[in-house]
Amino acid sequence: MCINCTFISTPFLNPFHHTSLMDNNKIRKEDALYYHAKGRPGKIEVVPTKETENQRDLSLAYSPGVAEPCLAIAQNPEDVYKYTAKGNLVGVITNGTAVLGLGDIGPEASKPVMEGKGVLFKIYADIDVFDIEINTKDVDLFVQTVKMLEPTFGAINLEDIKAPECFEIERRLRAEMNIPVMHDDQHGTAIISSAALLNALEIVGKKPEEIRLVVSGAGAAAISCVRLYVQLGVQRKNVTMFDLNGLLHPNRAEMTDILQEFASDAFPMDAKLEDAMKGADVFLGLSVGNLVKPDMVRSMADNPIVFAMANPIPEIGYDEAMAVRDDLIMATGRTDYPNQVNNVLGFPYIFRGALDVRATEITDNMKLAAAKALADLAKKPVPDLVNMAYNENNIVFGRYYIIPKPMDPRLLSTVAPAVAKAAIADGVAKKKIDDWDDYSQALETRLGLNNQIERIIIGKARRDPKRVVFADAENLTVLKAIQQVRDDKICFPILLGDIQAIEKIIEENQLDLKDVTIIDTRNPQDPEQLERYAELFFEKRKRKGIVRTDALKMIKKRNYFGAMMVDTGDADALISGLTRSYPDTIRPGLEIIGQQDGNHRVAGMYILQTKKGPLFFADTTVNVNPTVDELVEITELTAKAVEQFNIKPRIALATYSSFGSAKGEDALKMRAVTQILQQKYPDWIVEGEMQAHLAFNMDLVAQNYPFSKLSGEPANTLIFPNLSASNIAYNLMKETGDIDYIGPILLGIRKPVHVLQLGSTVREIVNMVAFAVVEAQRI
């Protein structure tokens, strides 16, 4: 996926480009190809936004109904924004001449990257994208082609076009088109690093106009960075730039006009990078890895700032640089170190703000507004959701946090309004925004959390991987998931099963799992471990009908062996096998590990990731027909689990009756549960009994049940009267609604034990493993 930017400069081939949020993972070729080929090929599709269920709908969507908006637009061309998708549609356009670190691979080969960029626009800013790959290297023809597409798009994102042509293409299109045009490869890094520079300078007590800046790299990114830094106050005379051929000096031969713009005679023409870095305040690297040596950082001024943004290997390693200066502020393009300069902090929100006011261009002031908004956001208290995602207790503004994290949900409602306001101030906005508070609120609710919960869980798991036992390792799907969680550094897997059978599957499918621990519980490599586990199990169950011979026999079963590993601390979590019988499979965990202190039972929960945010369903797997008291405890367990995501539970007790409209057994039961919970937890948002649609239809609730605690905002947690109702509900939603889910999550057990449902996919297993790791981190 295209997030961070790399530029083929004149003359550098810069590997700093398109760093994904998972850029440090070991991605296997087979996995990448399978991901793009599975199901519907590619990563994007067109989905209707209006009803298309019957002939009347189709007659409105097309002929004859479509004639009316056509005539309206013909009479008033601005109505194209009222009747079509143009106002939310960005063209991601390339000719494939500077793709990733791959170089000139052509338009067809660049298409997966352009689709990936479209994915990021959608998940971060709810912007729709058509990717356009143009088969020409001719600047005039490229410009002419893009210009002819202006009626289609609300804005143009130029991507992966090599320098110096990219400068001319963007300049001409900006001048000749009446919609925003931005080459993210040039400006994305400039905007994000400008925010980082502002905050770094504030921390060290220096002003932009006072610093001396040394730049390694003279490609599109570096040029744009310096141009924006100059607008922040950096003096051009204090900037020294180097490319592959050395210092940009006025007397150097064969330099383009763009390079001449940044030529400096502050040093002799034969000066080296190490010469310029002596006494420098800031180093900006957009070149190649391992170019800067520790002594060069040591020679810089007090409180130096180093932005080493070549990727995947920066100009100097983070640990290497920090080891020589304890007063250093450093940023890179990598996810595994503080202060990641990541273009995904910018382009989705810049285009969102520009589209929402129908800007005719993206001005320098709009870029500066984005940079300053990012800088200001980093100084504000960080939400618990972000701390959780990055496995931190309290991220605070300072040397190790100078720019926001990519998963900060406030980015959309912070950067987009700043950009929109700048567009209005510059006079390039065709649409005004009357109420900025309403606009920010609309942005906050636009995406929901459906694209965040999964990433938060996986991101948190990767920060502190745990040992996870897999009880059904003789299954190919499970082994593929194990491959992924190990490569993604989510956990340290331990496999249970027949060693020869597992190794055969690994070899036949060319999986890279040769160094993973495999234990055959029937004949373990460590017989003493088996005997010790059997004795421990006997002690736990000796007054419940188990004798020593039974204990030894049962502990050889994988679920019992795995549960004992977790109970004794030899592992941190258990993922049990694909099964048809959930209650039977969780029994070993309950008999060995037991319930949490104070709990009388366990329950199952599913997380359904909908476009309007996550929904939490319980009990979906364990209790067949719970009593009132049991439902109260199930609700308490579920609410506690929801709160672990830093989400306030809004609980609906669902049944076929609404607030006393029926008197059947389930209705009376759920009514009693509601009364108990409301008395026990007066601050909770819990309501019932109610039909399921009332948990979401707030207009209907306001009209008929104004006393409801759920008024104004829909429920996110649904508790069902019995296993039949909950099982039917979540299966219908996940099968018919194209909804991702995480589960079943076993609540109330002392240590993480989870059972994979029959038919679980690799992705579903990975999500379950990540959740188990996060649970284990809390113990």
Side-chain angles (χ1 to χ4, degrees):
M1 288 185 180
C2 164
I3 307 181
N4 252 348
C5 299
T6 241
F7 311 100
I8 297 181
S9 66
T10 305
F12 270 115
L13 172 61
N14 190 332
F16 174 67
H17 196 45
H18 302 297
T19 304
S20 76
L21 292 174
M22 308 287 282
D23 66 327
N24 302 303
N25 292 350
K26 177 183 177 184
I27 299 296
R28 299 168 69 242
K29 174 182 177 181
E30 294 82 1
D31 292 339
L33 293 176
Y34 173 75
Y35 172 85
H36 284 80
K38 67 179 179 179
R40 185 194 298 264
K43 300 187 285 284
I44 57 176
E45 65 176 341
V46 175
V47 178
T49 60
K50 302 296 188 293
E51 304 86 351
T52 57
E53 281 75 24
N54 54 48
Q55 185 59 44
R56 184 175 188 278
D57 292 340
L58 296 178
S59 295
L60 289 168
Y62 199 56
S63 180
V66 74
E68 296 304 326
C70 291
L71 293 171
I73 295 168
Q75 186 173 4
N76 178 19
E78 284 297 302
D79 277 353
V80 71
Y81 290 97
K82 181 177 181 180
Y83 297 118
T84 78
K86 175 172 180 170
N88 197 54
L89 190 60
V90 169
V92 174
I93 304 181
T94 188
N95 60 3
T97 53
V99 180
L100 306 177
L102 306 174
D104 184 354
I105 60 173
E108 292 89 355
S110 72
K111 188 171 178 62
V113 177
M114 302 309 115
E115 288 187 358
K117 188 85 173 204
V119 169
L120 297 178
F121 267 112
K122 189 64 178 178
I123 66 173
Y124 284 106
D126 193 27
I127 292 173
D128 298 315
V129 163
F130 288 155
D131 60 291
I132 307 287
E133 293 76 32
I134 299 177
N135 190 19
T136 183
K137 297 180 183 179
D138 181 88
V139 171
D140 291 335
L141 186 55
F142 189 99
V143 169
Q144 180 183 0
T145 302
V146 176
K147 282 177 59 180
M148 289 190 292
L149 295 171
E150 183 170 343
T152 300
F153 295 110
I156 299 294
N157 179 98
L158 298 173
E159 195 78 16
D160 290 348
I161 304 166
K162 74 179 182 72
E165 289 89 339
C166 63
F167 296 109
E168 178 68 8
I169 288 172
E170 188 195 42
R171 183 191 66 77
R172 288 177 55 180
L173 288 174
R174 287 187 63 192
E176 299 174 28
M177 298 182 76
N178 291 312
I179 58 174
V181 177
M182 189 175 85
H183 185 207
D184 185 49
D185 295 350
Q186 289 186 52
H187 305 293
T189 304
I191 292 166
I192 312 309
S193 67
S194 290
L197 181 64
L198 285 172
N199 281 342
L201 291 175
E202 178 179 325
I203 291 168
V204 301
K206 298 180 182 180
K207 297 180 179 180
E209 56 268 22
E210 298 172 349
I211 65 168
R212 188 161 68 81
L213 169 67
V214 176
V215 183
S216 175
I223 296 295
S224 294
C225 282
V226 176
R227 284 175 173 168
L228 203 56
Y229 294 177
V230 168
Q231 294 190 58
L232 293 175
V234 174
Q235 300 297 300
R236 194 179 294 268
K237 65 181 181 179
N238 293 334
V239 178
T240 307
M241 294 186 73
F242 292 81
D243 65 10
L244 188 63
N245 295 319
L247 174 67
L248 301 191
H249 192 278
N251 296 331
R252 199 178 103 180
E254 299 181 357
M255 287 209 304
T256 64
D257 291 342
I258 292 174
L259 296 184
Q260 282 286 354
E261 179 184 345
F262 297 95
S264 170
D265 59 3
F267 290 87
M269 193 164 61
D270 60 353
K272 305 298 183 185
L273 183 62
E274 53 263 37
D275 300 324
M277 286 186 66
K278 291 176 182 177
D281 298 287
V282 180
F283 169 78
L284 171 66
L286 287 160
S287 51
V288 294
N290 296 325
L291 188 68
V292 174
K293 305 305 178 187
D295 284 345
M296 297 162 70
V297 175
R298 189 179 284 114
S299 73
M300 294 178 70
D302 291 342
N303 293 302
I305 298 166
V306 171
F307 293 170
M309 297 189 295
N311 248 340
I313 302 173
E315 284 80 2
I316 183 170
Y318 182 86
D319 293 333
E320 191 178 16
M322 297 300 291
V324 299
R325 297 291 297 258
D326 58 9
D327 61 346
L328 173 65
I329 293 180
M330 185 168 179
T332 70
R334 294 174 60 106
T335 61
D336 50 348
Y337 295 110
N339 302 325
Q340 185 198 14
V341 176
N342 190 321
N343 281 24
V344 82
L345 293 170
F347 70 82
Y349 317 116
I350 293 165
F351 277 92
R352 178 77 275 159
L355 289 171
D356 288 344
V357 294
R358 295 185 201 163
T360 56
E361 62 175 305
I362 294 176
T363 65
D364 287 344
N365 282 334
M366 292 164 72
K367 299 170 195 170
L368 287 170
K372 291 175 181 177
L374 287 168
D376 289 342
L377 182 60
K379 301 172 191 176
K380 296 179 180 179
V382 175
D384 290 340
L385 192 70
V386 179
N387 284 308
M388 175 184 169
Y390 291 91
N391 199 31
E392 298 283 352
N393 292 325
N394 188 26
I395 299 173
V396 294
F397 178 65
R399 290 179 180 271
Y400 305 105
Y401 178 65
I402 58 175
I403 44 177
K405 300 290 189 180
M407 293 174 67
D408 193 323
R410 301 171 299 171
L411 285 163
L412 180 59
S413 59
T414 298
V415 180
V419 171
K421 288 176 181 178
I424 293 171
D426 280 352
V428 298
K430 291 184 176 181
K431 178 183 176 183
K432 307 298 181 184
I433 293 177
D434 296 324
D435 191 317
W436 289 100
D437 289 337
D438 285 350
Y439 176 56
S440 294
Q441 181 63 38
L443 291 171
E444 288 176 359
T445 59
R446 187 165 194 141
L447 294 178
L449 289 174
N450 66 307
N451 66 335
Q452 292 186 23
I453 290 290
E454 183 177 323
R455 286 183 287 133
I456 287 170
I457 292 172
I458 291 176
K460 185 172 177 60
R462 292 178 65 222
R463 303 286 166 170
D464 185 18
K466 299 296 182 181
R467 300 161 298 170
V468 177
V469 183
F470 293 83
D472 191 26
E474 295 172 19
N475 180 285
L476 177 59
T477 303
V478 174
L479 286 172
K480 286 182 176 180
I482 291 170
Q483 173 83 71
Q484 184 172 332
V485 295
R486 193 196 67 161
D487 290 350
D488 290 354
K489 299 180 176 63
I490 291 172
C491 76
F492 304 106
I494 302 169
L495 283 55
L496 303 184
D498 183 281
I499 295 176
Q500 290 184 341
I502 293 172
E503 289 179 342
K504 182 180 178 182
I505 298 172
I506 290 173
E507 182 178 355
E508 288 177 347
N509 292 275
Q510 299 180 338
L511 300 175
D512 183 15
L513 292 171
K514 294 179 181 178
D515 58 345
V516 171
T517 300
I518 305 175
I519 300 174
D520 188 337
T521 59
R522 298 168 303 174
N523 185 27
Q525 298 91 319
D526 183 2
E528 292 183 0
Q529 183 183 31
L530 185 67
E531 293 175 5
R532 178 166 55 90
Y533 284 179
E535 183 62 25
L536 288 170
F537 183 62
F538 169 70
E539 288 297 325
K540 287 175 178 287
R541 308 296 295 178
K542 62 185 179 183
R543 293 186 179 275
K544 297 182 179 180
I546 297 296
V547 298
R548 278 191 168 86
T549 53
D550 292 334
L552 182 60
K553 180 179 179 181
M554 295 180 73
I555 211 66
K556 289 183 178 181
K557 296 179 180 180
R558 298 173 195 171
N559 286 325
Y560 281 92
F561 191 94
M564 190 60 76
M565 290 189 75
V566 175
D567 187 59
T568 59
D570 293 336
D572 302 298
L574 170 65
I575 299 296
S576 191
L578 299 164
T579 180
R580 295 177 185 272
S581 177
Y582 188 89
D584 289 343
T585 312
I586 66 172
R587 187 172 293 112
L590 293 174
E591 291 179 353
I592 293 173
I593 298 172
Q595 297 164 353
Q596 294 173 348
D597 293 341
N599 288 349
H600 299 96
R601 65 187 49 258
V602 295
M605 179 183 77
Y606 269 91
I607 305 173
L608 302 176
Q609 301 179 81
T610 76
K611 291 183 178 180
K612 294 183 178 180
L615 294 178
F616 302 85
F617 281 20
D619 171 19
T620 53
T621 51
V622 180
N623 299 281
V624 176
N625 190 23
T627 65
V628 169
D629 289 341
E630 289 168 349
L631 278 167
V632 168
E633 187 169 354
I634 288 167
T635 307
E636 290 171 334
L637 287 171
T638 307
K640 183 179 178 181
V642 174
E643 288 171 347
Q644 290 174 352
F645 294 98
N646 294 293
I647 295 172
K648 185 176 179 61
R650 299 179 59 83
I651 304 167
L653 282 300
T655 183
Y656 56 83
S657 171
S658 296
F659 304 105
S661 64
K663 301 184 183 299
E665 178 183 348
D666 285 347
L668 294 173
K669 180 168 65 173
M670 300 305 274
R671 195 177 308 162
V673 174
T674 302
Q675 292 172 350
I676 293 171
L677 289 170
Q678 288 182 341
Q679 291 174 3
K680 193 173 182 180
Y681 305 103
D683 294 333
W684 277 19
I685 301 174
V686 55
E687 193 57 271
E689 86 286 9
M690 64 173 62
Q691 295 180 46
H693 69 288
L694 291 178
F696 307 103
N697 191 331
M698 293 299 97
D699 291 338
L700 195 59
V701 169
Q703 292 170 11
N704 296 280
Y705 310 102
F707 55 84
S708 172
K709 287 191 173 186
L710 280 175
S711 61
E713 198 173 334
N716 56 28
T717 306
L718 271 72
I719 306 298
F720 295 89
N722 53 54
L723 190 60
S724 179
S726 61
N727 191 277
I728 290 170
Y730 88 76
N731 273 303
L732 279 174
M733 286 195 67
K734 73 184 182 67
E735 293 299 329
T736 62
D738 191 24
I739 291 173
D740 289 333
Y741 68 92
I742 302 173
I745 294 165
L746 185 60
L747 306 175
I749 196 163
R750 192 166 55 86
K751 292 185 177 182
V753 174
H754 298 295
V755 181
L756 302 176
Q757 292 286 69
L758 192 67
S760 294
T761 65
V762 169
R763 179 172 178 171
E764 291 159 2
I765 296 171
V766 169
N767 288 338
M768 284 298 299
V769 173
F771 187 87
V773 170
V774 172
E775 283 186 300
Q777 291 170 350
R778 299 192 186 104
I779 298 174

